Amino acid sequence: MTASTKMLRAYDRANGVRLRVDATQTRAHLERLTARGWTYQQIAAATGLDSSTFGVILSGRYRKVAHHTAESILAVRLDQTPPIPRGLTDATGTRRRLQALMVLGYPLPGIAQQIGVSYFSLLQTAGGKWSAVRTPTAEKVARVYRRLAAVPAPPTRAAELVRNEAMARGWVGPLAWDSIDDPACEPEACEVVQPRHVHPDDVRELAGRGLDDREIGRRLGVSERTVARARAAHSIPAGVPA
């Protein structure tokens, strides 16, 4: 028991405050918080309690909890925004930077290799799975972004596929953001983005299978017109509709 805990208990005892109270209400409040997406780390940041406490309470092993523990947990409002635990930062800016780089044609595996982070972690971040990311990761992504955001990726098949995927998801490039880290900032709808492209080898292969422009476009995630332009530019014969 820490000195501060001893002092708190002594104060409660001197003022007639029960040291332990029924855990039912506290457990129910924790269940409501976690149901709204709060993590143990976020609850710990909001209450000042150790995160291991919450699992013990939720397990139902104990009928009573310390009075100050119950008071701290019940003081967390269900409608308040979960705090970001120490060592983490809001994921908004990192997510937008990764999405913008993909719009420019930069594949996530290459970005992950540059910053020394798992590809799957960046994929989940770009997809919006996390509300917070590790601060060092956010800083590394920001450095890569500053270096790459001014120029599109070299024209490769991988770049075209990444660009098409990003634009199909409605993601936007660097010029869309006035304040990329501000969660309240909305992207500029008028941002001019590069048209979606296809690699001629992909079109040639699919057309050779007898697929028409509409089906080729569906498979590559581009419009029928884009496929037709690619065929015309590279003298690729049209496929035959099924």
Side-chain angles (χ1 to χ4, degrees):
M1 184 185 301
T2 64
S4 59
T5 301
K6 290 180 179 179
M7 292 178 60
L8 179 59
R9 290 190 174 183
Y11 176 84
D12 287 343
R13 190 179 296 110
N15 287 275
V17 177
R18 289 180 297 170
L19 296 183
R20 300 185 69 79
V21 298
D22 185 85
T24 303
Q25 187 177 2
T26 304
R27 183 162 50 249
H29 195 65
L30 279 175
E31 290 172 347
R32 295 189 189 99
L33 288 172
T34 55
R36 283 167 169 76
W38 285 64
T39 66
Y40 287 0
Q41 289 74 24
Q42 289 171 329
I43 300 174
T47 61
L49 301 172
D50 191 279
S51 59
S52 63
T53 302
F54 313 127
V56 174
I57 295 174
L58 287 170
S59 71
R61 283 186 290 167
Y62 300 103
R63 296 175 56 188
K64 293 183 179 294
V65 296
H67 174 269
H68 72 277
T69 297
E71 191 174 60
S72 298
I73 293 172
L74 293 172
V76 180
R77 302 192 321 275
L78 297 177
D79 61 347
Q80 76 182 67
T81 302
I84 298 176
R86 182 178 301 178
L88 299 180
T89 190
D90 185 270
T92 300
T94 303
R95 180 177 63 254
R96 290 173 176 174
R97 287 182 176 90
L98 291 173
Q99 292 176 355
L101 288 176
M102 290 180 67
V103 169
L104 294 178
Y106 290 101
L108 282 183
I111 299 173
Q113 187 176 21
Q114 291 186 56
I115 66 178
V117 175
S118 162
Y119 157 70
F120 291 104
S121 176
L122 291 190
L123 182 65
Q124 292 172 328
T125 302
K129 182 173 183 178
W130 312 120
S131 60
V133 296
R134 294 180 64 248
T135 300
T137 298
E139 293 171 347
K140 292 175 182 177
V141 170
R143 283 198 294 269
V144 171
Y145 177 82
R146 286 194 294 270
R147 179 163 52 83
L148 300 179
V151 59
T156 64
R157 182 182 302 187
E160 291 165 359
L161 293 175
V162 168
R163 185 181 298 112
N164 289 344
E165 177 187 353
M167 296 179 69
R169 293 191 179 196
W171 295 348
V172 295
L175 297 179
W177 300 106
D178 286 333
S179 181
I180 200 167
D181 290 302
D182 182 2
C185 180
E186 294 292 336
E188 291 288 339
C190 61
E191 185 206 12
V192 178
V193 297
Q194 292 193 355
R196 299 165 73 180
H197 300 288
V198 291
H199 197 282
D201 289 347
D202 292 330
V203 176
R204 184 176 290 107
E205 177 183 346
L206 294 174
R209 297 181 191 174
L211 302 180
D212 63 4
D213 291 353
R214 182 186 299 275
E215 179 60 20
I216 293 173
R218 188 186 70 79
R219 295 194 181 194
L220 297 180
V222 297
S223 69
E224 181 178 354
R225 180 178 298 179
T226 298
V227 175
R229 283 200 299 263
R231 284 196 305 97
H234 299 278
S235 302
I236 301 171
V240 180

